[in-house]
Amino acid sequence: MPQNARTKVRRVAQRGHYDRETIHAILDSSWIAHVSFADPKGQPFVIPMLYAREGDSLYLHGSIASRLLKSVGSGIETCLCVTLVDGVVLARSHFHHSMNYRSVVAFGQAVAVEDPADKAAIFERFVDALIPGRARESRAADRNEINATSLLRFDIEDASAKIRTGEPKDDPADRELPVWAGVVPVTQHFGEAITAADVVAGVPIPRSVINLLGR
Ligand SMILES: Cc1cc2nc3c(=O)[nH]c(=O)nc-3n(C[C@H](O)[C@H](O)[C@H](O)COP(=O)(O)OP(=O)(O)OC[C@H]3O[C@@H](n4cnc5c(N)ncnc54)[C@H](O)[C@@H]3O)c2cc1C
């Protein structure tokens, strides 16, 4: 990814990464982006949304009435952030408490995807981005649903990743203190699936969900 003035990590610069592989890996490990934009009056907003990545683009979707999709879809400068928390870092001093994380900040502009066939195909990708294999197990969007949904393709112009790993970074003088320090890992896991009360009798838990639980 091109590195420039707006994406260069200045604060703790050694945690910055700009290669596609690292940026894509972080984007593919999450579902939620916080999308920021300013409305025509200059009022800033940050809104969390689902996304599905394809190459250097992220698809965003929502109601055609969504302010965010209308604003961002008009082609204005947009910035979004994806964050994964890997651990809580406990130091001897208050000052050095921290988190282990992987995050991406991406800049770019979005365009609306209008073609109904393209929209239907990308909605499928969205469902599979949530749970791989789920799209073919469930009903595809019909014409009304496609028309009621805005779909944007956010093209990443440039992006940075920032990654913190490892132990607390205490001051040397504090290492003598009788205070516990270390890292409490944070992991995401899937719980047992809960079948909806009105599922047709005898329909089993599908393969996509079983695969998810096995991860
Ligand atoms: C879960 C989490 C918790 C955090 N908690 C704090 C906190 O409490 N206090 C704090 O000061 N900082 C925290 N950070 C770090 C924070 O995200 C910023 O990196 C830091 O505050 C420096 O901001 P800045 O604007 O001065 O960065 P600069 O280095 O000036 O930012 C320049 C450019 O670097 C890139 N960049 C900066 N930060 C990130 C990032 N996190 N991920 C990807 N690219 C980035 C962007 O492209 C940005 O435009 C946290 C980060 C995460 C992921």
Side-chain angles (χ1 to χ4, degrees), residues 14-15 89 91 93 96 164-171 175:
Q14 68 276 18
R15 293 185 185 156
V89 179
S93 65
H96 285 294
R164 188 200 191 280
T165 57
E167 298 203 335
K169 311 224 177 316
D170 273 305
D171 296 334
R175 298 210 180 106

Side-chain angles (χ1 to χ4, degrees), residues 7-8 11 15 22-23 60 96 100-102 116 134 136 159 174 190 206-207 214:
T7 53
K8 186 168 169 31
R11 178 91 195 104
R15 293 185 185 156
T22 302
I23 290 167
L60 308 172
H96 285 294
N100 283 337
Y101 59 78
R102 290 163 286 155
R134 181 62 182 160
R136 66 169 176 271
D174 288 339
F190 297 103
R207 175 59 44 197

Side-chain angles (χ1 to χ4, degrees), residues 42-56:
Q43 168 67 51
F45 295 93
V46 180
I47 305 288
M49 312 193 70
L50 274 175
Y51 64 87
R53 183 184 73 83
E54 186 177 79
D56 284 343

